[in-house]
Amino acid sequence: MIDSRWHYPSPLKRSPTVPYQGIIPLENQVHHQAVTFNYTIKATLRRQHCNPPIWTNFHLHTFEIILELAATCQPGDLYGLDMVEMENKLYLWAEDLPEKINEHPLCPHGTTEEMCLYFAQIPVEPHVKLLSVSVSETPNRVTTLQLS
């Protein structure tokens, strides 16, 4: 399985601290106060689902998952959120869903609502806030869970 920090040099992959925080000397920083940024991370996965008890026929969709996040970038930080690491985490969580989404214990009815609740549990760094999770089974139908 891929590690969400695969892109870091070896010593930083397992670091208990956040590798991109407090690493830029203040004299080299372009901003000198904390700035909060919003981030959008997306992933797609192709899976089957059905919606019992109404619909029981499994069918394929290319689901799109969108995470909206906010993080504060302090003056010594490289950035507020490592988007590559967060995207990797999202793909790892998506890959944990079985071929038939209904077979996951948190998504027994295969709904986009259940999928939003599943992805809302994705771990984020303590300084990061997950604002919303959206899941669509087609571009025209999007379910969004507002978390703040």
Side-chain angles (χ1 to χ4, degrees):
M1 177 188 282
I2 189 171
D3 181 339
S4 64
R5 287 189 177 180
W6 65 266
H7 59 295
Y8 282 107
S10 293
L12 297 176
K13 287 183 182 179
R14 301 280 178 234
S15 172
T17 61
V18 180
Y20 53 86
Q21 288 184 325
I23 61 172
I24 298 177
L26 294 181
E27 63 272 9
N28 295 339
Q29 188 56 277
V30 295
H31 64 90
H32 298 284
Q33 68 275 351
V35 180
T36 299
F37 294 91
N38 287 352
Y39 301 87
T40 302
I41 308 293
K42 297 180 183 182
T44 57
L45 73 148
R46 191 148 170 83
R47 295 288 192 275
Q48 296 181 61
H49 81 140
C50 65
N51 301 128
I54 298 174
W55 292 281
T56 57
N57 59 321
F58 280 93
H59 54 281
L60 278 170
H61 285 289
T62 300
F63 291 94
E64 182 176 63
I65 302 98
I66 303 169
L67 304 181
E68 296 288 339
L69 307 113
T72 300
C73 186
Q74 299 296 332
D77 296 350
L78 185 59
Y79 27 73
L81 167 69
D82 182 340
M83 293 176 65
V84 173
E85 182 177 359
M86 196 65 229
E87 182 181 37
N88 290 340
K89 284 182 186 181
L90 179 54
Y91 273 108
L92 290 169
W93 272 68
E95 287 303 313
D96 277 347
L97 288 173
E99 184 58 38
K100 292 181 177 175
I101 288 174
N102 303 65
E103 293 174 355
H104 193 282
L106 297 179
C107 301
H109 303 100
T111 64
T112 54
E113 290 83 355
E114 289 174 342
M115 292 176 69
C116 282
L117 292 168
Y118 167 77
F119 285 104
Q121 297 178 46
I122 195 167
V124 296
E125 299 290 350
H127 70 286
V128 175
K129 187 169 189 159
L130 183 58
L131 303 174
S132 69
V133 177
S134 297
V135 175
S136 65
E137 57 184 29
T138 74
N140 299 328
R141 297 191 305 265
V142 181
T143 304
T144 301
L145 173 64
Q146 290 295 138
L147 297 167
S148 42

